[in-house]
Amino acid sequence: MAAKKVALYARVSTDRQTTENQLIELRAVAERHGWMIVGEYVDQGVSGAKGRDQRPEFDRLLKDASRKKFDLIASWSVDRLGRSLQDLVAFLSEIHAKKVDLYLHQQGMDTTTPAGKALFQMMGVFASSSGP
């Protein structure tokens, strides 16, 4: 079985912060799991409240997911992906439709496992029922 191709996503809100600690830990996780890192996407000094159009690396990550450049997105924490529930729901729906898995280090969520897949599907059910 071929190694999963993983994209790492890191973000910090200010230029005084660094993404390096997030990336170091995510690289170690990838190594432990035998995942092949095919890209690192880093938004430096960009608020998670900003939309996709104002987060260039997040936008590139989603475009590359559409191009099937990787099987899995690994991020430090759910709040690195976004601060708005609406944006997170859109993100989860988009990657789920592309059959891209998600690993969130701080939350211990890994959709490459049966339990992680079930949690991901449950989040999708709640997300779709929380509309206007």
Side-chain angles (χ1 to χ4, degrees), residues 21-58:
N21 57 341
Q22 294 174 39
L23 292 170
I24 288 169
E25 189 62 35
L26 291 171
R27 289 173 192 137
V29 167
E31 187 174 329
R32 281 195 303 273
H33 284 86
W35 300 334
M36 180 176 57
I37 298 170
V38 296
E40 293 185 0
Y41 302 75
V42 178
D43 280 315
Q44 183 74 39
V46 181
S47 168
K50 301 271 188 206
R52 178 177 171 176
D53 59 328
Q54 295 174 296
R55 296 169 59 192
E57 287 294 283
F58 187 70

Side-chain angles (χ1 to χ4, degrees), residues 27-112:
R27 289 173 192 137
V29 167
E31 187 174 329
R32 281 195 303 273
H33 284 86
W35 300 334
M36 180 176 57
I37 298 170
V38 296
E40 293 185 0
Y41 302 75
V42 178
D43 280 315
Q44 183 74 39
V46 181
S47 168
K50 301 271 188 206
R52 178 177 171 176
D53 59 328
Q54 295 174 296
R55 296 169 59 192
E57 287 294 283
F58 187 70
D59 183 55
R60 186 171 72 91
L61 174 76
L62 289 173
K63 286 177 179 168
D64 284 352
S66 294
R67 296 178 184 117
K68 300 282 188 201
K69 290 194 172 188
F70 42 80
D71 311 302
L72 173 69
I73 295 170
S75 186
W76 176 252
S77 174
V78 69
D79 66 352
R80 298 301 87 200
L81 299 171
R83 295 280 186 183
S84 137
L85 180 59
Q86 184 178 359
D87 289 343
L88 284 171
V89 167
F91 167 78
L92 292 172
S93 297
E94 189 168 340
I95 67 166
H96 185 69
K98 308 278 188 266
K99 302 202 179 334
V100 173
D101 282 310
L102 179 64
Y103 173 87
L104 297 173
H105 188 68
Q106 290 296 95
Q107 284 75 28
M109 186 171 136
D110 180 355
T111 66
T112 65

